[in-house]
Amino acid sequence: MGDYVSVGSLTAYLSTGRAHGPGMLLLPMITGIGEQIRDWADELAGRGITALTWDPFHGRSTDDSTVDELHELLLRMDDDAALAEQTQLLDHLLGDLGASKAGVSGWCLGGRFAILLGARDHRLANVTAFHPTVPSQLRPNQTYDAIADAAAITAPVLVSYPGADAAVPVADFETLQTSLQTRPTGATVALFHPGADHGFTNRDRHDKPVNAEAFHLAWPQALAFIDTTTA
């Protein structure tokens, strides 16, 4: 089981894997560091991978806040400030925590930031993005176009997209694929899940069979991808 730790002025959730083994920086969805992301971090640690989870809402999560309240915080999030926090955590993972290699995995809003961070920090061994929230139309508080920036990622990328994503049109996912597949280095693995919804990995949505089926296909493949790229 992991625990909350301080990294400078930041709070993060740390699940420790094998000493001097691989690491993963986890970037949550709208739930923040809620129960499910903690479970995923603990699962990675059980595989020997040290998982350090970014806290997008600075202490708020679905443990104590509604999704609507967290969405209001999301609309005020600054891209540069968030990326600076993620870089600080990656520094800690590769430095003080002694990870031999480190990748990044993100969900929804975290999937977008996984792509943005991967484009900027070439220390990353992989980028894994589940249903990344990357519509071509940016929100007023967003500075960077993740679809365009994806072309600068040098690491292997696995992106898992739901075909019924109401937040990201299929055409935008296709443009993202094109951006990734023009890269001179870094393999692209793209999973397309027909009929699945945005946020299909969230177990609160697994009462809908297509979402549960998408998760049960995508998660083991992501684990294998992470194992291989951080070995």
Side-chain angles (χ1 to χ4, degrees):
M1 296 291 291
D3 204 354
Y4 291 92
V5 296
S6 295
V7 181
S9 62
L10 304 178
T11 297
Y13 183 78
L14 173 64
S15 291
T16 303
R18 189 171 67 252
H20 307 297
M24 287 295 294
L25 176 63
L26 306 187
L27 310 181
M29 61 181 89
I30 193 68
T31 53
I33 306 182
E35 181 181 11
Q36 187 166 12
I37 194 79
R38 298 195 303 269
D39 287 347
W40 283 329
D42 294 343
E43 182 176 352
L44 288 171
R47 300 172 73 88
I49 299 168
T50 293
L52 187 64
T53 304
W54 172 57
D55 181 3
F57 305 121
H58 302 140
R60 303 277 295 276
S61 74
T62 45
D63 288 352
D64 56 19
S65 303
T66 68
V67 169
D68 287 342
E69 289 170 338
L70 297 175
H71 189 261
E72 286 300 314
L73 297 176
L74 173 62
L75 294 178
R76 299 197 295 271
M77 185 176 292
D78 177 79
D79 279 352
D80 284 316
L83 286 164
E85 292 178 358
Q86 294 156 18
T87 300
Q88 183 178 343
L89 294 178
L90 182 61
D91 290 344
H92 183 64
L93 188 56
L94 288 167
D96 293 341
L97 295 178
S100 55
K101 292 183 180 180
V104 62
S105 184
W107 294 258
C108 297
L109 75 95
R112 173 177 178 267
F113 277 115
I115 291 169
L116 292 177
L117 186 65
R120 287 158 177 77
D121 200 319
H122 294 165
R123 293 176 296 173
L124 289 165
N126 66 60
V127 174
T128 307
F130 293 97
H131 38 80
T133 310
V134 290
S136 54
Q137 184 65 44
L138 300 186
R139 293 195 307 264
N141 65 311
Q142 293 178 332
T143 305
Y144 301 113
D145 180 348
I147 293 176
D149 286 2
I153 300 172
T154 57
V157 175
L158 185 150
V159 60
S160 194
Y161 175 80
D165 194 328
V168 181
V170 172
D172 288 346
F173 172 64
E174 292 171 346
T175 305
L176 173 63
Q177 281 186 282
T178 299
S179 183
L180 290 168
Q181 291 167 4
T182 60
R183 298 177 300 143
T185 61
T188 300
V189 180
L191 304 177
F192 183 86
H193 306 277
D197 297 317
H198 185 74
F200 70 83
T201 59
N202 189 336
R203 56 192 173 208
D204 289 348
R205 301 188 178 186
H206 289 179
D207 57 336
K208 189 172 180 179
V210 69
N211 291 332
E213 290 165 5
F215 173 73
H216 288 305
L217 176 67
W219 183 240
Q221 295 193 61
L223 292 174
F225 178 75
I226 291 167
D227 285 343
T228 301
T229 53
T230 59

